[in-house]
Amino acid sequence: MNFSSKLIEEAVHAFASLPGIGRKTALRLVLHLVKQPPEMTQQLAGALVKMRRDIRECEQCHNISDDKRCAICANPHRDQRLVCVVEGIRDVMAIEDTGQYRGLYHILGGVISPIEGVGPADLNVDSLIQRVQAGGVKEVIMAISPTIEGETTIFYLSKKLRDSGVQVSTIARGISFGGDLEYADELTLGRSIVARVPYKGMSE
Amino acid sequence: MNFSSKLIEEAVHAFASLPGIGRKTALRLVLHLVKQPPEMTQQLAGALVKMRRDIRECEQCHNISDDKRCAICANPHRDQRLVCVVEGIRDVMAIEDTGQYRGLYHILGGVISPIEGVGPADLNVDSLIQRVQAGGVKEVIMAISPTIEGETTIFYLSKKLRDSGVQVSTIARGISFGGDLEYADELTLGRSIVARVPYKGMSE
């Protein structure tokens, strides 16, 4: 693309360095900013720079945080005895959006993957063990994707946590609500038959 | 979405104010910036602010420009006798990308549209007339979308330019290269039969 402007070229290049933004989309965004008052660009740039400068990692759960402790860890109304172990920040947001969980989190920062060269030392494993050993935690819930790497990670963590006396659980797996049996994969369907639960009626 | 971070929330909000960027995409972009070194965010923000602050309108053709005159108007190798009238900046880029045009441009900033309340006074019409009257222009090429508003605009401009003695042309309309006759609209197909041209063979 021929921009005939170095300024536009550089702004397009900067936007296009973001994931999922191609040069055409980047140009559309830049031309949008050109049409808007300069304050809008300053506001966007300011919010991004401020966010990147001030954002921290929660010292307890490794979530992104505005302060030393994240809003979840710092909330006295949350159940401090429950720790939900997740791969990343997005998982926290997804679980929070359900409104069904009132405990704390622990962000691993990934899963154990020998193929990608990710070992336990690359993840926030030690801080989890220390957190549990420090006492006060009753249950550790593994909310990790049921992939081979995820299962390996759960197995490794549960072994590490065995001596601490804490209860380890995983989120329920099975057929999605609204899911079609016909299109469910064999593994999920097979396991959900083996792990069937007593019917509790429509009370809830 | 529950971000549990004011900083993330504000950055997502800023990104999501851009066209075509929803909150999910905005979050993906923000989390990408969090993972990258702070310099990357500063670079992005810097490029945008600098672009918005320094970008100007070319005093001759109304194209976006880094200087008083845009790179196209300031280029002595371009044919100063040809002026191609377009609706907007993107049209300039599209024509430049073809590499088939070596003249100058004039950006109208839209088309005459009584429904949307856009009249000749809202467009860069006067500066076009003055530019032609100042002399040196031999041909004005109307590269305007063949919509009702576009045709109205071409008609209006050609009437305004009639007395100046300049030649007025429009870009060729017809069936697209690679286009299928079967799927061409009636108007285009009908007009392209009426405006048929002598066959020149495969020489070009």
Side-chain angles (χ1 to χ4, degrees), chain A residues 169-181:
Chain A
S169 57
T170 68
I171 50 169
R173 281 88 184 263
I175 304 299
S176 300
F177 282 93
D180 204 324
L181 282 203

Side-chain angles (χ1 to χ4, degrees), chain B residues 31-44:
Chain B
L31 293 184
H32 173 80
L33 290 178
V34 169
K35 275 189 215 145
Q36 304 292 319
E39 290 74 35
M40 184 170 162
T41 305
Q42 280 161 16
Q43 211 182 318
L44 169 65

Side-chain angles (χ1 to χ4, degrees), chain A residues 87 107-127 149 152-154 156-157 160:
Chain A
E87 289 177 51
I107 286 99
L108 279 184
V111 283
I112 297 170
S113 171
I115 295 171
E116 291 184 31
V118 180
D122 303 309
L123 306 174
N124 299 319
V125 171
D126 287 346
S127 59
E149 290 85 1
T152 306
T153 308
I154 293 174
Y156 176 84
L157 291 177
K160 276 272 194 183

Side-chain angles (χ1 to χ4, degrees), chain A residues 1-2 5-8 17 19 27-28 32-34 36 40-41 45 48-49 52 64 66 90 93 97, chain B residues 1-2 5-8 17 19 27-28 32-34 36 40-41 45 48-49 52 66 90 93 97:
Chain A
M1 251 183 293
N2 193 329
S5 159
K6 196 100 192 123
L7 292 167
I8 297 287
S17 67
L27 176 62
R28 205 186 60 225
H32 172 80
L33 290 178
V34 168
Q36 303 293 318
M40 185 169 161
T41 306
L48 297 182
V49 167
R52 189 62 191 84
I64 41 172
D66 296 359
R90 284 154 172 277
M93 291 178 187
D97 281 346
Chain B
M1 251 182 292
N2 192 327
S5 160
K6 197 98 193 127
L7 293 166
I8 297 289
S17 67
L27 176 62
R28 205 185 61 225
H32 173 80
L33 290 178
V34 169
Q36 304 292 319
M40 184 170 162
T41 305
L48 297 182
V49 167
R52 190 60 191 84
D66 297 359
R90 284 153 173 278
M93 292 180 187
D97 282 346

Side-chain angles (χ1 to χ4, degrees), chain B residues 175 181 187-197:
Chain B
I175 305 296
L181 282 204
L187 187 66
T188 304
L189 187 54
R191 286 203 187 171
S192 72
I193 289 171
V194 173
R196 62 194 176 278
V197 291

Side-chain angles (χ1 to χ4, degrees), chain A residues 129 132-133 157-168:
Chain A
I129 308 297
V132 170
Q133 281 171 348
L157 291 177
S158 66
K159 241 177 80 178
K160 276 272 194 183
L161 290 168
R162 197 177 288 159
D163 300 334
S164 64
V166 79
Q167 189 187 328
V168 175

Side-chain angles (χ1 to χ4, degrees), chain B residues 23-180:
Chain B
R23 281 173 76 80
K24 284 216 166 180
T25 305
L27 176 62
R28 205 185 61 225
L29 299 178
V30 169
L31 293 184
H32 173 80
L33 290 178
V34 169
K35 275 189 215 145
Q36 304 292 319
E39 290 74 35
M40 184 170 162
T41 305
Q42 280 161 16
Q43 211 182 318
L44 169 65
L48 297 182
V49 167
K50 183 164 181 279
M51 178 279 296
R52 190 60 191 84
R53 189 190 58 208
D54 294 346
I55 201 82
R56 297 203 257 174
E57 193 177 300
C58 172
E59 60 175 10
Q60 179 165 265
C61 76
H62 306 282
N63 193 4
I64 41 174
S65 171
D66 297 359
D67 299 298
K68 268 180 118 173
R69 290 222 168 176
C70 73
I72 296 171
C73 284
N75 184 346
H77 300 296
R78 305 210 48 140
D79 191 340
Q80 314 280 324
R81 295 166 304 173
L82 295 179
V83 172
C84 179
V85 177
V86 293
E87 288 177 51
I89 301 158
R90 284 153 173 278
D91 301 322
V92 174
M93 292 180 187
I95 295 172
E96 285 298 290
D97 282 346
T98 68
Q100 297 290 319
Y101 180 66
R102 298 298 300 161
L104 307 183
Y105 293 92
H106 192 89
I107 286 98
L108 279 185
V111 283
I112 296 170
S113 170
I115 294 171
E116 292 184 29
V118 180
D122 304 308
L123 306 174
N124 299 319
V125 170
D126 286 347
S127 58
L128 173 67
I129 308 299
Q130 282 161 23
R131 206 174 150 185
V132 170
Q133 281 171 348
V137 178
K138 217 184 81 192
E139 182 179 353
V140 173
I141 303 157
M142 304 286 178
I144 294 175
S145 304
T147 57
I148 294 175
E149 289 86 2
E151 297 287 357
T152 307
T153 308
I154 293 173
F155 180 72
Y156 177 84
L157 291 177
S158 66
K159 240 178 80 179
K160 276 272 192 180
L161 290 168
R162 197 176 288 158
D163 300 334
S164 64
V166 78
Q167 189 187 329
V168 175
S169 57
T170 69
I171 50 169
R173 281 88 184 265
I175 305 296
S176 300
F177 282 94
D180 204 325

